[in-house]
Amino acid sequence: MRWTHWQTLILKTPFSDLSFQETLIGGQAFRWSYNEIDQCWQGIWSQSFTQLRLNTEESIECRFPEESEANATESLHQYLLVDTDWSDLTEQLPWRSDPALADAIYAFRGLRLLNQPFAETLLCFLCSATKQIPQIKIMCENMAREIGSEIIPGGPHALPTWEQLSKTSESVLRSLGLGFRAKNIKQTADLIAGSNKILEEIEGLPYKEAKEELIKFPGVGSKIADCTLLFGAQKYQAFPVDTWILKVLKNRYKLEGWSKDQLEHFGRVHLGPLAGYAQQFLFAYERAQR
């Protein structure tokens, strides 16, 4: 495969080495990996395929396959939200009165949220039930390879569309290692494929209404809905509560015996309209302490 020349991507908020890696492979997205030969990070979303690396000045350098679409750079800009002032958003978080959050922000300076395709984000997090990041990545790659379409000739495959999944049997999905998730994904695919623009409509709703609609899909609980809205719809008030955040709330905020609903409500009230952004700092920091 022939690649374009490396070009510098100007960021309003620079990464650190740690936050760069955490943004790409810390549980927001599942199709990034390190390319040992080229010594860079390689990622796929929608019809985009790119390589990224962080230089010594903490700027990002990027390149694309020569066969990529003409708007590849613009797609990357939107995906990384290059023009968003993440330093300003960080300043709006309540770290001054929250030592746990302050520690997490200090450790992961420059961490940002990705702007992923909404439909793909829902699919990836439907794979996340009871699974860890490496296992989710395998399921996503299996679906892309066997069901998705080539992005460029001889290159990687995109994740399958919901229409492609609807035409795939549950047994085939199970053969790709999806387990019980195959049934939920198949049923959700049938619902989405049979309803014109349903995901576009949900994505455009306010947070609360969008979450209520997502939870109607088979296999979509509160955490999966919040992850989908946070990472795929830029609804930053979403506060996903997973195993790691449960540990944070217990160990650092001393919240024991609370229900999931109560913990989610606490997160949104205590951390404010950017609760999901704060959550990602706390999530990253807790995992780094293991």
Side-chain angles (χ1 to χ4, degrees), residues 4-266:
T4 62
H5 295 297
W6 289 100
Q7 56 182 287
T8 300
L9 195 63
I10 304 300
L11 302 174
K12 183 162 285 189
T13 305
F15 282 111
S16 67
D17 185 61
L18 192 59
S19 66
F20 179 50
Q21 178 173 317
E22 181 66 22
T23 297
L24 298 181
I25 62 169
Q28 297 188 50
F30 303 99
R31 302 205 69 197
W32 285 91
S33 59
Y34 192 73
N35 185 313
E36 294 285 354
I37 296 174
D38 294 332
Q39 295 189 319
C40 63
W41 292 96
Q42 190 162 286
I44 306 164
W45 69 95
S46 189
Q47 295 298 310
S48 296
F49 179 38
T50 190
Q51 290 185 337
L52 297 179
R53 65 187 184 189
L54 189 66
N55 65 26
T56 54
E57 289 76 34
E58 297 185 343
S59 296
I60 294 294
E61 294 178 339
C62 61
R63 67 178 184 176
F64 314 92
E66 290 184 348
E67 301 90 337
S68 292
E69 297 178 357
N71 66 346
T73 302
E74 176 60 26
S75 177
L76 180 60
H77 271 252
Q78 293 299 320
Y79 182 79
L80 288 178
L81 294 171
V82 165
D83 295 326
T84 297
D85 189 340
W86 295 100
S87 295
D88 178 64
L89 295 184
T90 301
E91 282 297 300
Q92 296 177 41
L93 298 176
W95 56 268
R96 295 168 183 83
S97 59
D98 186 330
L101 180 58
D103 288 345
I105 290 172
Y106 180 79
F108 286 90
R109 175 183 56 83
L111 184 69
R112 66 185 59 215
L113 298 174
L114 299 172
N115 179 26
Q116 300 177 68
F118 187 61
E120 286 190 0
T121 310
L122 174 59
L123 175 59
C124 290
F125 281 98
L126 270 170
C127 293
S128 72
T130 72
K131 289 295 185 181
Q132 296 181 339
I133 294 170
Q135 299 162 319
I136 302 166
K137 292 176 73 170
I138 290 171
M139 286 187 277
C140 289
E141 291 308 311
N142 288 347
M143 285 191 291
R145 183 186 66 250
E146 299 299 328
I147 308 171
S149 304
E150 275 189 347
I151 294 175
I152 56 174
H157 289 220
L159 280 169
T161 65
W162 286 104
E163 288 73 19
Q164 288 173 320
L165 288 165
S166 181
K167 296 173 183 176
T168 305
S169 68
E170 181 183 331
S171 62
V172 168
L173 293 174
R174 285 185 177 274
S175 75
L176 301 178
L178 299 186
F180 71 86
R181 301 158 205 79
K183 181 178 181 181
N184 292 330
I185 288 173
K186 170 61 175 170
Q187 290 180 347
T188 296
D190 290 343
L191 290 170
I192 292 172
S195 182
N196 189 35
K197 295 186 177 181
I198 186 171
L199 288 185
E200 291 180 25
E201 294 169 1
I202 292 174
E203 185 179 1
L205 292 172
Y207 164 69
K208 185 181 180 203
E209 290 89 335
K211 184 172 181 178
E212 289 171 352
E213 291 301 314
L214 278 180
I215 289 175
K216 294 177 183 178
F217 290 122
V220 179
S222 183
K223 188 211 80 169
I224 290 175
D226 272 341
C227 286
T228 302
L229 293 169
L230 178 60
F231 303 127
Q234 293 183 261
K235 299 192 188 300
Y236 294 161
Q237 64 269 59
F239 185 76
V241 175
D242 71 341
T243 301
W244 290 104
I245 294 301
L246 285 173
K247 291 180 180 179
V248 171
L249 296 175
K250 177 183 177 181
N251 298 335
R252 305 184 190 279
Y253 293 87
K254 309 305 178 185
L255 302 180
E256 295 192 62
W258 289 39
S259 70
K260 277 281 192 76
D261 286 346
Q262 289 173 322
L263 293 172
E264 290 173 3
H265 182 69
F266 168 82

